[in-house]
Amino acid sequence: MSGVVCPPPELSFGAEYYSVVNGVCTRDESFFGGKPVLAQAVGYAVVIGFGAFFALFTSFLVWLEKRYVGGSQLQTSEWFNTAGRSVKTGLIASVIVSQWTWAATILQSSNVAWQYGVSGPFWYASGATVQVLLFGIMAIEIKRKAPNAHTVCEIVRARWGTSAHIVFLTFCLATNVIVTAMLLLGGSAVAHALSGVNVYAASFLIPLGVIVYTLAGGLKATFLASYIHSVVVHVVLLIFVFLVYTSNSSLGSPKVVYERLMVVGSAARVCSADLSRPGQSCGPVDGNFKGSYLTMLSSGGLVFGIINIVGNFGTVFVDNGYWMSAIAARPSSTHKGYLLGGLVWFSVPFSLATSLGLGALALDLPVTADEAAKGLVPAATATALMGKSGSVLLLTMLFMAVTSSGSAELVAVSSLFTYDIYRTYVNPNASGKQILMVSRATILAFGCFMGVLAVILNVAGVSLGWMYLAMGVLVGSAVIPIALLLLWSKANALGAMLGAGGGCVLGVIVWLTVAKVQYGRVNLDTTGRNAPMLAGNLVSILMGGAVHVVCSLVKPDQYDWEGTKQITRVDSVVGGDEDDEELQEEKLVHAKRWIVRWGVGFTVLIVVLWPALSVPAGKFNLGYFTLWAVIAIVWGAVGSAVIIVMPLVESWDTISMVCAGMLTNDIVYQRLDDVNLRLRAIMGAIPEAERHYQQLQRKGEVEMHPAGTHPAHDSDHLLEEN
């Protein structure tokens, strides 16, 4: 017994995960071993406590906005569903980052780092950033061609008619359901693994607080909560990144991480049955150059990157939530917000997974393939580095991501049901109050459905990783038709419907066929592997686009966008409308050229040039890996600083005004509210007076709301001002 060296000397840094059993050095069967790290009470405290806190805090911010800034205008259906269409660059960027930070962003990105090494975080980040960068083009086109739209499906109906409307409404709702499923699958799995919280209870408790504040403030409450959640996510991100590469005693530098990655992936490592359990990382990586984790030459990483790019086009372009964010933005802020949001978001999976994902390998943690599929790689690393504190931090970070994205999905589904079903087919003459009532009822109903859906998928054994890879097969076929909706005047309705429907059917057929032919059976395991997923994703998106383009060339439409420009609002928003000056065609065309130049430029940089320049490096040396780690650290730090500070700087005057208002006598406000109500009535009856007032404001010939008084312009609101 005393003569057994355990673990082998080169793996001494992972000694705590090895033990001598019957005279044989044996590696632990798994990291978590089916036992939670935290007490169950801690898990419930995080899920319920944070949920209650953010529900109350965000609702309080909405109340402040109504009380001291927007008055009764913030209670209309337009404000509830579009946030006044005047959100500025910093907040839009923050919303995009928060909305695009799913449970998968935190969990799946580290999983692919654990599987493929350095290429995994890169392909996850770049493969899911390009869609946001390119969607900035669509955001400007909305302002040009459908400035009063509430949802993407409204635009579809205005251009292509009822049949196409029903087809794309189905795809949009399916996308929201898929995204919601991924959020809760990941969130409930990690909450259960870390604290023993019942996975079914977590599925219902996680969205509970989200429902409360979304009911209170609609899209604007979602935006405010998104900013707060982004701050928390980025603070925790920086803690983990600096912990792995600068301060932790077990790792603490790129050099230590590099040396250990060399050891754990070495061909000389013994991976016998006792020293490595089935599904655990051990030795060279199949498909990687020289079997190394330290290379971009990874066939598995590249295949994942392609699947990632294709699949995420569907969950951006076909997710009504991104269209709503574009609708809510000021015309001058739309394109900049999406570009900035995309670049900052890149740091979340790239920096986090380069830290926690590679950290799991560098610590030689006995994580199993089953644990990794459930998204538990970052949880294992955080726990190994910080103990229970790391588990709490990761659980908090995950909770922020799930609830923020979940809120966006709630509002997206609410708008589809409200404007594309209720207002279109049930009550075309619905009043603003009726619209508001239906919006809130849908939020409540879909919030409950979210929990039921997660329970069903958990019972069926569907994992986060499987759902993430399958989404492109299911909704990818609608991407190109929905993009051409605003980009190509010749795109016709028949081609759009055939492309979206036919591409989806063909994609699913190819997906299942490849799984059957290559592996002999069709189940969750075989359909979740790379070859079937790659084939299904590519066929879905390419066939969807090809069918639409061919049909449109055979029988081209000649659309002039007048129909989409005639989409009407339900309520008018005094002072909340975009300035006519910002909606001038010349300025919007300039903005489009700007986002095309920079959006396409950064897309080429992160999808083509960066990986191409990494190829000559082959297997990274210490200097190259150090540079790689420094880029991850700096990008994460700068991105976090920008997304936290910029919205505050842009809105400092408004924040100061609200603070001053809180110290002012309520009786004064009651009288000022009465005066404002009378003035709105007068200006509403005399449109010329309102236009003249706005002209004076732009020229600076009137004094703008001195400190401590009610603002003269209602579009000033919390975290943003005109």
Side-chain angles (χ1 to χ4, degrees), residues 150-174:
H150 304 88
T151 71
V152 60
C153 291
E154 271 192 329
I155 305 173
V156 171
R157 184 170 183 268
R159 177 170 182 181
W160 288 333
T162 300
S163 297
H165 178 250
I166 294 173
V167 170
F168 285 93
L169 178 60
T170 302
F171 273 99
C172 287
L173 289 173

Side-chain angles (χ1 to χ4, degrees), residues 397-417:
M397 187 186 201
L398 183 70
F399 181 82
M400 296 296 108
V402 171
T403 53
S404 180
S405 299
S407 178
E409 295 305 306
L410 278 176
V411 177
V413 171
S414 168
S415 294
L416 289 173
F417 269 91

Side-chain angles (χ1 to χ4, degrees), residues 466-483:
W466 186 93
M467 184 64 75
Y468 184 82
L469 295 173
M471 61 187 177
V473 181
L474 302 176
V475 301
S477 60
V479 171
I480 294 177
I482 215 166

Side-chain angles (χ1 to χ4, degrees), residues 91-338:
L91 188 55
I92 281 294
S94 177
V95 167
I96 294 303
V97 172
S98 183
Q99 188 174 338
W100 202 212
T101 303
W102 300 346
T105 307
I106 297 170
L107 306 178
Q108 181 71 1
S109 60
S110 290
N111 179 22
V112 291
W114 178 80
Q115 287 181 283
Y116 309 120
V118 295
S119 67
F122 173 80
W123 284 119
Y124 190 105
S126 64
T129 297
V130 297
Q131 298 83 358
V132 176
L133 299 179
L134 297 177
F135 192 83
I137 300 171
M138 305 302 299
I140 282 296
E141 291 297 272
I142 294 170
K143 298 298 183 184
R144 291 182 63 206
K145 296 168 181 174
N148 293 322
H150 304 88
T151 71
V152 60
C153 291
E154 271 192 329
I155 305 173
V156 171
R157 184 170 183 268
R159 177 170 182 181
W160 288 333
T162 300
S163 297
H165 178 250
I166 294 173
V167 170
F168 285 93
L169 178 60
T170 302
F171 273 99
C172 287
L173 289 173
T175 302
N176 293 131
V177 169
I178 291 170
V179 173
T180 300
M182 285 191 289
L183 294 175
L184 292 181
L185 280 173
S188 60
V190 173
H192 174 70
L194 291 179
S195 65
V197 169
N198 183 279
V199 70
Y200 305 126
S203 300
F204 284 98
L205 291 174
I206 289 174
L208 193 59
V210 179
I211 295 172
V212 174
Y213 70 70
T214 309
L215 280 173
L219 187 61
K220 190 53 181 296
T222 294
F223 282 10
L224 295 177
S226 293
Y227 171 73
I228 300 167
H229 291 180
S230 286
V231 171
V232 175
V233 166
H234 281 86
V235 168
V236 177
L237 166 70
L238 292 179
I239 291 174
F240 285 136
V241 170
F242 281 96
L243 188 69
V244 170
Y245 287 108
T246 66
S247 63
N248 182 259
S249 58
S250 298
L251 297 175
S253 73
K255 181 180 179 181
V256 173
V257 174
Y258 176 83
E259 290 173 347
R260 292 191 178 180
L261 289 176
M262 291 284 288
V263 170
V264 298
S266 171
R269 180 175 180 178
V270 178
C271 296
S272 64
D274 295 313
L275 290 175
S276 179
R277 304 293 181 173
Q280 292 180 338
S281 61
C282 185
V285 185
D286 291 338
N288 280 22
F289 179 67
K290 295 184 178 180
S292 176
Y293 288 108
L294 297 159
T295 181
M296 281 291 289
L297 295 172
S298 168
S299 60
L302 179 61
V303 169
F304 169 77
I306 296 172
I307 296 172
N308 198 36
I309 292 172
V310 174
N312 281 304
F313 266 109
T315 48
V316 171
F317 280 69
V318 194
D319 187 340
N320 185 51
Y322 292 91
W323 293 80
M324 291 187 68
S325 295
I327 289 166
R330 291 178 62 178
S332 60
S333 304
T334 305
H335 53 301
K336 298 174 184 176
Y338 273 83

